[in-house]
């Protein structure tokens, strides 16, 4: 079975540009979450989506947005990129909205974004 | 608010020696606790989790962790480390009410000496 797949794996952008990151969850998983991992730090929660609805949002500016599609895949969009947005962006999927019960999070390998 | 502290940023251990990674959390209710491992260029792999019940939890790759409510700790242990255990280890706390939001510690990087 395929795990959580993310694309692109690496990308370089310049300040002020926009970026779209994509995530395909494990087959059968209906919930997708996004995390940002800055170099040398632990991941930080950005968003959770379940059945195409936003279920949670972390402490990130409105430049960050996301959506989930009918096939449960998801996109993370970041506008007006700043140098500080350089990070590994991780997507995680789970069966249900409450990922901390029996439905634990499975993470993808991430998309590494570099902003110059 | 939830928080997680991993006091050790780096740990160096000899192959075959035992390993213990510390994790302290802050959360008002009963937490859900996790340990994840991240190899270079990889995502996070779940080692083990605690939701309730037995406070000593067994995980994959020979790891175990013990939940101590009185100390707000969830330390990870392995009796004999292999060179392949060199990686970064993250402790995380969640809660049923928080959905898929996990709060991670800053991580502990483990280096294994031959």
């Amino acid at each position: 079975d395929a795990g959580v797949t993310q694309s692109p794996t690496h990308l370089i952008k310049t300040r002020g540009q926009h970026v779209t990151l994509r995530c395909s969850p494990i087959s059968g998983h209906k919930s997708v979450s996004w995390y940002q991992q800055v170099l040398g730090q632990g991941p930080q929660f950005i968003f959770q989506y379940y059945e195409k609805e936003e279920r949670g949002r972390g402490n990130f500016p409105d430049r960050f947005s996301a959506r989930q599609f009918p096939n449960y895949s998801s996109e993370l969009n970041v506008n007006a990129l700043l140098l500080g947005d350089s990070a590994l962006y991780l997507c995680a999927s789970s069966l249900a909205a409450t990922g901390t019960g029996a439905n634990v999070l499975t993470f993808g390998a991430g998309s590494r974004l570099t902003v110059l | 608010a939830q928080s997680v502290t991993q006091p050790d940023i780096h740990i160096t251990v000899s192959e075959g020696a035992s390993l213990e990674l510390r994790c302290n959390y802050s959360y008002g209710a009963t937490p859900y606790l996790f340990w994840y491992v991240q190899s270079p260029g990889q995502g996070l792999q779940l080692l083990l989790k605690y939701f309730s019940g037995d406070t000593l939890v067994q995980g994959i790759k020979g790891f175990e962790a013990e939940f101590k409510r009185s100390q707000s700790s969830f330390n990870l242990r392995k009796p004999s480390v292999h060179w392949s255990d060199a990686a970064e280890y993250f402790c995380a706390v969640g809660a049923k009410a928080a959905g898929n939001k996990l709060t991670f510690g800053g991580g502990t990087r483990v280096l294994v000496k031959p």
Side-chain angles (χ1 to χ4, degrees):
Chain A
D1 285 341
V4 178
T5 57
Q6 294 186 242
S7 63
T9 54
H10 296 83
L11 69 166
I12 300 173
K13 294 285 188 177
T14 57
R15 281 177 297 175
Q17 285 189 313
H18 164 270
V19 68
T20 297
L21 307 177
R22 296 176 175 84
C23 172
S24 293
I26 290 173
S27 178
H29 283 194
K30 297 183 178 180
S31 182
V32 169
S33 299
W34 289 94
Y35 285 77
Q36 181 196 62
Q37 186 179 18
V38 173
L39 192 63
Q41 298 181 17
Q44 279 196 293
F45 174 77
I46 310 176
F47 286 111
Q48 179 192 353
Y49 276 78
Y50 178 71
E51 293 278 17
K52 296 178 290 181
E53 291 189 0
E54 183 182 304
R55 289 296 192 99
R57 170 186 270 262
N59 187 24
F60 281 81
D62 291 343
R63 299 184 297 107
F64 288 76
S65 64
R67 56 180 176 168
Q68 187 177 33
F69 299 99
N71 66 354
Y72 303 111
S73 66
S74 178
E75 283 182 356
L76 175 69
N77 295 282
V78 187
N79 292 324
L81 286 167
L82 303 174
L83 295 179
D85 295 331
S86 295
L88 181 67
Y89 288 85
L90 295 164
C91 174
S93 74
S94 66
L95 283 168
T98 305
T100 51
N103 307 308
V104 293
L105 298 184
T106 301
F107 284 83
S111 293
R112 183 163 298 282
L113 171 64
T114 302
V115 182
L116 303 177
Chain B
Q2 303 164 336
S3 68
V4 178
T5 302
Q6 294 181 246
D8 304 304
I9 298 175
H10 293 96
I11 285 183
T12 300
V13 61
S14 298
E15 192 168 14
S18 63
L19 175 68
E20 181 167 13
L21 304 182
R22 296 183 291 165
C23 173
N24 293 98
Y25 69 91
S26 173
Y27 185 64
T30 299
Y32 296 154
L33 295 160
F34 306 82
W35 275 99
Y36 283 88
V37 61
Q38 186 176 39
S39 299
Q42 300 296 313
L44 300 170
Q45 181 183 21
L46 180 68
L47 286 175
L48 47 79
K49 58 188 184 291
Y50 171 79
F51 296 121
S52 64
D54 193 347
T55 56
L56 185 62
V57 179
Q58 301 298 320
I60 63 171
K61 303 185 179 186
F63 285 93
E64 67 177 25
E66 186 171 12
F67 171 56
K68 293 185 177 180
R69 185 187 301 274
S70 61
Q71 299 177 18
S72 297
S73 70
F74 189 58
N75 294 348
L76 182 71
R77 297 192 293 256
K78 185 169 184 177
S80 178
V81 168
H82 187 262
W83 63 266
S84 60
D85 293 322
E88 186 140 28
Y89 293 80
F90 292 95
C91 180
V93 63
K96 185 175 182 179
N100 281 352
K101 179 183 177 181
L102 297 184
T103 300
F104 285 83
T108 299
R109 182 165 298 277
V110 173
L111 175 66
V112 180
K113 295 190 301 183

